[in-house]
Amino acid sequence: MGLGERIGRGNTADIYVLGSDQVLKVFHDPKLLDLEREISSVIEELVVDVPTFYGTVETVGLTGLAYEKVLGPSMLEILMSKPEHTAEYGRQLAELHAKLHRIKATGRLQSIKSRLAYMISGIRHGGLEPFREAIISHLSELPGGDQLCHGDFHPGNVLLSQRGPVVIDWMTAVCGPAQADAARTILILRHAVLPAELPEVVIQTFAQLRTVLLQTYEETYLDLTGYSREELARWELPLMAARIGESVPEEEQRTLLAIIQRQLS
């Protein structure tokens, strides 16, 4: 099975074509391979609408994880080309997320609270330092849960294939309250800054549609689950702090830090 061209590059891995019907995910940090391999084995057992996982593959000097090649654009790509359908896809995103949250993952994955505590404790950012202890204390008081949480659920991680929506990139999957996972999605939809190297037309299009996308996602999700905005908002502080530690643009880091400062000052 031959290795083909690189078709994707993210913060943690490169994606290559592998044969005719697979892709190979090669991590920049080899330690992440073992983490995702364990998570992917669990996800394949729990979730139907995910790419088939084929395990570890070594080829032409590269070692990675092989997955089914799912044919179809991401929801984000469709939104960029058809912004008039934003509300429709916002509702579909919420329906898919609520469906995932009906799956129990007790004992199969790390808890979201322990994942967030670890991430926040390891962040080296001077602006966050005065608030770290208060945020971790706030996190410790939040409830646990047993639902499957994707950890990075947004339109770029939903592929629209002929067989229906397929959710990808499960490396951040954890176990916890659904409210925390939905709050993470709202955080991304509201504050995520697209990479500056993207075409200006893409950045401007996303800026125009994000308000409608956020509103329809949030309203639909709350209606489907019966949760309140207050339940989701309780997770904002630790989620924003953890996000600052990710490889996000400085503009987004400054925005999140300013919100944290206002809430805790």
Side-chain angles (χ1 to χ4, degrees):
M1 187 177 297
L3 188 70
E5 64 177 331
R6 187 176 70 187
I7 57 173
R9 183 171 180 83
N11 292 329
T12 60
D14 293 337
I15 307 297
Y16 295 87
V17 172
L18 183 64
S20 61
D21 58 359
Q22 296 182 28
V23 295
L24 186 69
K25 188 171 185 179
V26 179
F27 295 89
H28 305 153
D29 181 353
K31 291 183 292 186
L32 295 178
L33 185 148
D34 291 333
L35 171 65
E36 179 157 331
R37 180 172 53 205
E38 294 177 7
I39 292 174
S40 293
S41 297
V42 172
I43 295 304
E44 190 169 42
E45 293 180 25
L46 295 177
V47 187
V48 174
D49 299 323
V50 295
T52 302
F53 175 52
Y54 296 108
T56 305
V57 169
E58 296 183 22
T59 179
V60 295
L62 296 176
T63 301
L65 299 178
Y67 294 91
E68 171 193 3
K69 182 181 180 181
V70 178
L71 299 178
S74 71
M75 186 180 289
L76 181 60
E77 290 171 320
I78 294 293
L79 284 169
M80 291 300 181
S81 63
K82 299 179 179 179
E84 67 273 17
H85 296 299
T86 297
E88 173 189 343
Y89 283 111
R91 288 188 288 270
Q92 185 175 343
L93 189 71
E95 291 166 357
L96 182 57
H97 211 185
K99 177 183 176 182
L100 288 176
H101 287 158
R102 291 196 288 270
I103 299 173
K104 304 295 185 183
T106 309
R108 304 299 304 275
L109 298 166
Q110 182 183 15
S111 78
I112 192 170
K113 291 183 65 173
S114 63
R115 172 77 63 81
L116 287 172
Y118 175 80
M119 292 175 67
I120 295 168
S121 297
I123 293 173
R124 297 295 172 259
H125 191 293
L128 186 66
E129 196 60 43
F131 308 103
R132 191 194 311 270
E133 185 175 340
I135 294 170
I136 292 178
S137 176
H138 173 83
L139 174 63
S140 69
E141 298 173 358
L142 293 174
D146 61 0
Q147 288 145 308
L148 175 64
C149 298
H150 181 279
D152 197 27
F153 188 83
H154 57 73
N157 279 337
V158 179
L159 301 183
L160 301 177
S161 72
Q162 288 188 342
R163 72 176 192 242
V166 176
V167 183
I168 62 171
D169 284 351
W170 285 87
M171 188 175 72
T172 52
V174 287
C175 178
Q179 296 96 317
D181 203 34
R184 161 78 182 191
T185 295
I186 290 172
L187 174 69
I188 294 172
L189 295 181
R190 180 176 288 137
H191 297 297
V193 173
L194 296 181
E197 60 267 20
L198 289 176
E200 183 64 23
V201 65
V202 172
I203 294 174
Q204 291 300 323
T205 300
F206 185 70
Q208 293 168 6
L209 64 81
R210 73 188 307 161
T211 299
V212 174
L213 183 65
L214 171 60
Q215 180 179 347
T216 53
Y217 167 83
E218 185 175 21
E219 290 179 351
T220 304
Y221 183 84
L222 295 178
D223 183 58
L224 288 171
T225 61
Y227 299 139
S228 68
R229 283 184 171 83
E230 291 72 24
E231 287 179 276
L232 273 61
R234 296 177 66 192
W235 289 90
E236 287 180 353
L237 270 176
L239 288 169
M240 286 189 294
R243 180 79 173 163
I244 289 172
E246 299 175 23
S247 298
V248 298
E250 289 186 12
E251 178 185 348
E252 184 177 344
Q253 290 187 10
R254 289 194 298 269
T255 297
L256 298 178
L257 186 58
I259 298 172
I260 290 172
Q261 290 172 335
R262 286 199 300 269
Q263 291 191 11
L264 292 178
S265 296

